[in-house]
């Protein structure tokens, strides 16, 4: 049996925040404290998190933001590519490569709730090819696959 991999999630959070800071500066966008806090909370785990859960998790020093404030922060983070919306869960997950515009697929474990972002150029090409005969122009796509992760399959 192989060694269990210990995951330092603080590194994920630190990398995500540093990259968001860098990209916002390069793009001339404001990375406000609320946006920073929301992004940090989204990155707390590899599970998708709902907007109202984020609202409840905001620290007391954030004041008492309204749901619309959190949704505006999430809209900004999505527009800048820092988070993705998992449509089937109506929840959000951090993007591990926000500097690259890309199409992703999401592997969602129905048991533990972990979400993994993967990319498949072959799947992207197949989707584009399928849209061609219909003269359909794809503006955005989200492919979400529900099932069991390796850890949950073993239990």
């Amino acid at each position: 049996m192989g060694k269990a991999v210990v995951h330092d999630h603080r590194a994920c959070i630190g990398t995500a925040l540093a990259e968001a800071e860098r990209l916002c500066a390069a793009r001339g966008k404001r990375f406000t404290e609320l946006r920073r806090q929301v992004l940090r909370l989204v990155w707390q785990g590899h599970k998708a998190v709902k907007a109202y859960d984020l609202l409840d998790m905001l620290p007391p020093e954030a004041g008492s933001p309204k749901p619309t404030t959190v949704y505006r922060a999430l809209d900004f983070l999505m527009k800048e590519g820092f988070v993705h919306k998992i449509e089937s869960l109506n929840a959000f997950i951090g993007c591990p490569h926000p500097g690259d515009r890309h199409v992703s697929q999401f592997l969602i474990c129905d048991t533990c709730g972990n979400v993994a972002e993967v990319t498949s150029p072959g799947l992207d090409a197949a989707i584009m090819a399928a849209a061609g005969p219909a003269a359909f122009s794809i503006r955005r796509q989200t492919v979400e696959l529900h099932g069991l992760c390796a850890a949950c399959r073993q239990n």
Side-chain angles (χ1 to χ4, degrees):
M1 295 253 290
K3 255 187 183 178
V5 176
V6 177
H7 180 71
D8 181 5
H9 208 67
R10 288 177 306 188
C12 290
I13 296 167
T15 299
L17 293 173
E19 185 67 356
E21 184 78 41
R22 183 187 73 76
L23 290 169
C24 283
R27 296 171 182 168
K29 304 289 183 175
R30 289 189 55 228
F31 192 48
T32 65
E33 186 56 32
L34 180 65
R35 292 169 178 172
R36 179 184 316 282
Q37 289 174 347
V38 169
L39 185 60
R40 178 181 290 115
L41 292 171
V42 168
W43 272 98
Q44 290 296 313
H46 290 288
K47 295 174 179 22
V49 62
K50 295 179 180 282
Y52 276 88
D53 293 335
L54 290 169
L55 188 62
D56 292 339
M57 294 184 320
L58 283 169
E61 59 269 13
S64 52
K66 304 288 182 232
T68 54
T69 307
V70 171
Y71 277 110
R72 277 191 216 113
L74 287 166
D75 286 343
F76 172 85
L77 296 171
M78 280 191 306
K79 181 179 176 193
E80 294 303 315
F82 304 142
V83 301
H84 296 289
K85 184 172 185 183
I86 305 297
E87 300 287 345
S88 63
L89 302 175
N90 193 27
F92 302 86
I93 191 83
C95 177
H97 30 54
D100 303 323
R101 295 289 177 201
H102 59 282
V103 177
S104 299
Q105 296 79 42
F106 300 96
L107 307 176
I108 304 163
C109 182
D110 291 326
T111 298
C112 71
N114 278 348
V115 178
E117 179 178 345
V118 297
T119 58
S120 171
L123 181 57
D124 296 342
I127 290 170
M128 296 302 283
F136 187 80
S137 175
I138 298 172
R139 291 189 183 153
R140 181 176 72 86
Q141 70 168 284
T142 302
V143 177
E144 301 175 15
L145 306 159
H146 286 261
L148 297 176
C149 69
C152 290
R153 277 196 350 259
Q154 291 177 355
N155 294 334

